[in-house]
Amino acid sequence: MMQSIEQAGPIVSADGSGNPLFPVFLKLENLPVLLVGGGNVAYEKLRSLLGNAPNAGIRVVAIGISEQIRELAQQYPGVKLVQKSYAATDLEGAEIVVVAVNDIHLSECIRKDAKERNLLVNVADKPALCDFYLGSIVQKGNLKIAISTNGKSPTVAKRIKEVLNEIIPPEMDDVLNDMQQIRQQLNGDFTDKVKQLNDLTKVLVAKQVSLDEVSLKKQKEKKWQQIVKLCLFAFVCMILGAAVFSYFPAKELYGLVRSVPAYIDTSSFLMMLLTGFLAQMVDGSLGMGYGTISTTFLLANGVPPAVVSSRVHSARVFSSGVSGYSHHRFGNINKKLFRTLVVPGIIGAVTGATLAYIGQRYATYVRVPLAIYTCYLGYFIIKKAIRKKKRQDKVKRAGWLAGVGGFMDAFAGGGWGALVTSTLISKRKSPRYVIGSVCLAEFFVVFASAVTFFILLKHIPLGDVLGLIIGGILAAPVAARLVGKLPLKTMYFLVGGLVICTSLFTLWKAVNLLQH
């Protein structure tokens, strides 16, 4: 029933004080289980068993079986429901017995029958009748931790479980997989392997390097890092190629270099530089706000909506790339969440950018709903600061959320962070990994938007974009360092208030323009 037992020093004193229970992890898929009972307690027992061993063979025997148990049993082929009164013959073929009936005499009878057959028994809420307990379980992938208070306080065990769930990051399973790969590459007997692993960990601690930098025949960079670099390089080539061959004839290259200031408004460039810096500081720290702040600023200055989105996304290609790289460097990425977001986000972004281009002929009319939308985003950000925290639920349909966020981000020039990040943070307990994963996915989303706009609009205002790019790149590493360390509630209020005020100003200008 156990693969191995790790020896340790005595944990219970000689007089028997302490917790004398011996922790054992059972392979329930090889041990048939009999569950007697069909009510709420039986449902909790069944859910606990299946939650840890989905392939377990469990036979449920009860006079009445609740709808909850029936619905749960439909999801697991190993569960068999038998609606009848308990009989001693029901123990045949079982190796583990769990009793969850509200009848002490029946519970004692079942235990007596089970012990005559040398079966292990657990009786709900009756420690004296139990051979083993079902403790609180913490699981992160392949890592599983069982918590026992020896029946003293299930509430304390539950609280410890919550604390461990909070402390242990989802990436712990990746660590275990990496350690397995290292273990498989070690040669020699057990003693040699221990020495090699000890030498390896000494190198990591002494030099403070990552596993990729140790000579284990691994690539020095993650695949996504290479993809980000290639995408950035390709996009730079597109911009430079368009600029050189469309606007700057080769014969007049020298003269054009001297006339560069004539093509760039210095005051506008500096304003864009400041906007890019502030927007990326907010975005990298909160996981939202770059597109929203940049868009509301440009709309307030009379820039057409489609052009607004193209400028913002062109700049965000670089800032989000640096931001995503920085978050990965500081270990802020949840790979599973990233993979869930990136593809739907790209599809939504391409769709939104295409519709924004088609609707540019109605720019005067589009400006009004966009101003209302960005005003709502400001309210949405403030709402995050004042809303009370609720019980953390598992994220569902994150792909659809990313698709909607990518569409609105490309069509309206912002909203990816405000919609995606804030929603995910409300469902998860670790803002650090949510913000890092969303920032990395954001790079691919804005890259898809920028390429779509470039193909459709056939030009990019280099001066404004350059200001946004430089400001964002300067702020990205600083923001990644500050994530989780700033007073979030105050920042939510300030950012949301700025967005609302700017959006109302844009709305007022747009309404006046329509009236005239």
Side-chain angles (χ1 to χ4, degrees):
M1 290 188 292
M2 293 183 63
Q3 290 182 324
S4 64
I5 300 178
E6 295 185 6
Q7 298 295 333
I11 55 178
V12 179
S13 59
D15 62 0
S17 61
N19 190 334
L21 299 176
F22 188 78
V24 176
F25 290 91
L26 301 175
K27 293 183 177 180
L28 283 187
E29 62 270 17
N30 299 331
L31 301 172
V33 179
L34 171 65
L35 172 60
V36 182
N40 293 331
V41 177
Y43 169 73
E44 293 299 330
K45 295 286 187 179
L46 179 61
R47 191 173 67 167
S48 177
L49 292 169
L50 294 173
N52 287 277
N55 297 322
I58 303 175
R59 187 156 45 95
V60 181
V61 175
I63 298 176
I65 300 177
S66 68
E67 287 300 320
Q68 284 182 311
I69 292 180
R70 293 185 183 278
E71 293 176 1
L72 185 61
Q74 291 178 357
Q75 305 173 31
Y76 298 91
V79 179
K80 180 180 179 181
L81 305 181
V82 181
Q83 190 165 351
K84 61 182 281 296
S85 299
Y86 164 79
T89 54
D90 293 326
L91 297 171
E92 296 178 0
E95 296 192 45
I96 302 290
V97 180
V98 178
V99 183
V101 296
N102 188 23
D103 186 333
I104 183 61
H105 298 293
L106 179 58
S107 297
E108 292 174 346
C109 178
I110 296 173
R111 172 177 169 77
K112 180 181 177 182
D113 293 341
K115 298 313 293 181
E116 289 177 355
R117 293 168 172 77
N118 295 320
L119 303 179
L120 295 176
V121 183
N122 172 271
V123 180
D125 298 326
K126 298 294 184 292
L129 301 180
C130 293
D131 295 318
F132 65 94
Y133 302 143
L134 302 181
S136 295
I137 303 295
V138 177
Q139 183 166 359
K140 299 285 184 176
N142 288 291
L143 176 66
K144 182 172 288 188
I145 303 173
I147 304 168
S148 169
T149 61
N150 197 20
K152 299 293 185 181
S153 178
T155 301
V156 171
K158 181 179 179 181
R159 294 294 175 262
I160 294 175
K161 172 184 176 181
E162 294 175 351
V163 171
L164 291 178
N165 265 322
E166 178 76 20
I167 293 175
I168 302 174
E171 286 73 17
M172 180 57 69
D173 199 42
D174 295 331
V175 174
L176 296 179
N177 292 331
D178 290 339
M179 292 304 295
Q180 181 185 28
Q181 294 181 15
I182 295 173
R183 177 185 176 188
Q184 292 173 348
Q185 294 181 26
L186 299 179
N187 299 316
D189 57 18
F190 179 77
T191 302
D192 292 334
K193 291 181 178 180
V194 170
K195 290 181 179 179
Q196 292 179 57
L197 188 59
N198 186 45
D199 292 338
L200 172 62
T201 54
K202 281 183 178 179
V203 171
L204 296 176
V205 173
K207 296 186 177 181
Q208 295 184 348
V209 296
S210 65
L211 290 175
D212 291 339
E213 296 174 295
V214 183
S215 178
L216 292 176
K217 298 181 181 179
K218 285 186 176 182
Q219 295 180 346
K220 291 186 177 181
E221 293 182 322
K222 299 292 184 180
K223 289 183 179 180
W224 77 262
Q225 291 175 309
Q226 298 175 357
I227 295 174
V228 170
K229 290 181 178 180
L230 289 174
C231 291
L232 285 174
F233 179 75
F235 195 68
V236 168
C237 290
M238 289 173 60
I239 293 178
L240 293 179
V244 172
F245 296 107
S246 299
Y247 297 102
F248 306 143
K251 294 182 180 180
E252 302 178 3
L253 184 60
Y254 176 73
L256 287 172
V257 171
R258 297 182 58 185
S259 62
V260 166
Y263 291 90
I264 300 177
D265 186 339
T266 305
S267 60
S268 177
F269 173 81
L270 293 176
M271 182 61 68
M272 289 293 179
L273 181 71
L274 178 61
T275 302
F277 183 86
L278 295 177
Q280 185 56 41
M281 280 292 293
V282 173
D283 185 79
S285 301
L286 298 181
M288 66 181 78
Y290 187 99
T292 303
I293 291 176
S294 302
T295 298
T296 52
F297 173 81
L298 294 176
L299 286 175
N301 283 273
V303 181
V307 177
V308 167
S309 191
S310 67
R311 291 183 185 183
V312 171
H313 285 86
S314 298
R316 285 170 65 191
V317 167
F318 297 91
S319 60
S320 61
V322 175
S323 179
Y325 184 92
S326 300
H327 277 293
H328 182 272
R329 180 183 177 189
F330 295 120
N332 301 340
I333 306 299
N334 181 322
K335 295 180 181 179
K336 182 177 180 181
L337 177 60
F338 165 73
R339 290 193 293 266
T340 302
L341 298 176
V342 66
V343 175
I346 290 175
I347 295 174
V350 172
T351 305
T354 303
L355 290 180
Y357 169 75
I358 295 174
Q360 66 178 332
R361 67 184 64 181
Y362 309 105
T364 304
Y365 300 96
V366 173
R367 194 184 305 275
V368 173
L370 286 186
I372 296 175
Y373 169 70
T374 54
C375 190
Y376 167 75
L377 290 181
Y379 158 76
F380 194 82
I381 294 172
I382 293 178
K383 182 181 177 182
K384 298 303 299 179
I386 60 178
R387 188 167 65 182
K388 295 182 179 179
K389 292 184 178 180
K390 299 181 179 180
R391 184 176 68 88
Q392 307 296 327
D393 298 321
K394 185 177 179 180
V395 177
K396 297 180 180 179
R397 298 173 180 168
W400 285 101
L401 175 66
V404 173
F407 174 84
M408 295 304 300
D409 189 77
F411 182 77
W416 168 264
L419 294 175
V420 179
T421 304
S422 58
T423 302
L424 292 178
I425 286 179
S426 69
K427 299 291 184 179
R428 291 174 176 258
K429 292 185 177 182
S430 181
R432 171 186 172 187
Y433 295 106
V434 171
I435 293 173
S437 304
V438 173
C439 282
L440 179 58
E442 180 184 19
F443 165 76
F444 296 96
V445 171
V446 299
F447 179 79
S449 301
V451 171
T452 303
F453 278 120
F454 186 87
I455 294 173
L456 296 175
L457 295 175
K458 297 183 177 61
H459 75 282
I460 294 177
L462 296 179
D464 292 345
V465 172
L466 187 61
L468 291 171
I469 290 172
I470 296 175
I473 290 177
L474 292 175
V478 180
R481 274 286 189 185
L482 295 177
V483 64
K485 300 179 181 180
L486 298 175
L488 293 182
K489 191 170 184 178
T490 302
M491 290 192 66
Y492 278 130
F493 276 112
L494 292 176
V495 174
L498 175 63
V499 170
I500 290 176
C501 292
T502 309
S503 299
L504 290 176
F505 176 71
T506 302
L507 181 61
W508 176 73
K509 288 179 61 177
V511 171
N512 285 340
L513 185 62
L514 289 175
Q515 290 178 346
H516 293 83

